[in-house]
Structure formats: C-alpha cells, structure tokens
Amino acid sequence: MKTLFYGISEEEILREAEVIITEELEEKNRGSRFCFTPTEIAKLYNMSGSDLNSFLKDQGIIHKREGTWCLTRKYIHRGLARHRYIAKSNQSGQLRIKANLVWTEKGKDFIEQLIK
C-alpha cells in the first residue's frame, strides 16, 4: 500500500473517490429513478431490448450519438425518456460514465401506442 498525500494511502483515496462517484451518480440519476429500460418494455411485447431499439430507430424516434441511444429532435422535449448513468471501467482501467436511455411512464405509453 502506497502512502500518497499527507499520509493518506492510495486505497483510502480510491475508497473516497468511489463514495464521491456513487453520490454524484445517485444525484444525476434522481430523475430516472422510476423509468423503464428498453428490455423491461420489450418483454411486454415478447421482444428483446435491442429489437425494441431497432423498431424505435426505424420509426425515427431514437438514434445513436457517440454510442448512446438518444431521442431525435422531434421527440426530445416531450417527456418520453431520460438518461440513466452508470460508471464502468474500460479495459485499461479508466473510469467512464455511460448513459443509457430509459423511458418514463409517458414514454412507455407512447411505445405501447406505436406497437398497437
């Protein structure tokens, strides 16, 4: 164990960083707490989450931007979806924040009307 700053170990710094990141993600995700993942919605229609995303993409509702699904401009301000953020380490150990599109109750109802 290395001592880095003022007698604080690397392990203690990493532990504190994890606490800070967890708190920040909880705050950032507060608005997506009661949202549904594409997989949760897709199961209602015997589909997979990727099948649902493909369907929504074909309908012009979502598109991928920098590897993340986003609502298209036409749908962005309708309260249909939000992003939920997670922290992941890449192969070289760098921490990355990944955004996943999740659907509000209104968005879930919107998708139901599209599928019917």
Side-chain angles (χ1 to χ4, degrees), residues 15-46:
R15 207 173 21 249
E16 184 61 26
E18 187 175 325
V19 168
I20 292 168
I21 291 166
T22 300
E23 289 172 355
E24 289 293 321
L25 287 175
E26 285 174 3
E27 178 66 29
K28 197 170 184 76
N29 288 329
R30 184 167 287 144
S32 69
R33 189 174 297 151
F34 300 107
C35 292
F36 303 90
T37 66
T39 301
E40 290 171 326
I41 295 171
K43 283 181 181 179
L44 302 171
Y45 307 102
N46 297 316

Side-chain angles (χ1 to χ4, degrees), residues 68-94:
T68 299
W69 287 111
C70 301
L71 290 171
T72 56
R73 184 170 280 134
K74 180 179 178 181
Y75 297 97
I76 202 161
H77 296 293
R78 295 189 182 182
L80 301 174
R82 297 201 165 97
H83 280 99
R84 185 176 292 156
Y85 300 89
I86 59 169
K88 291 182 113 179
S89 295
N90 65 15
Q91 291 177 341
S92 62
Q94 292 176 312

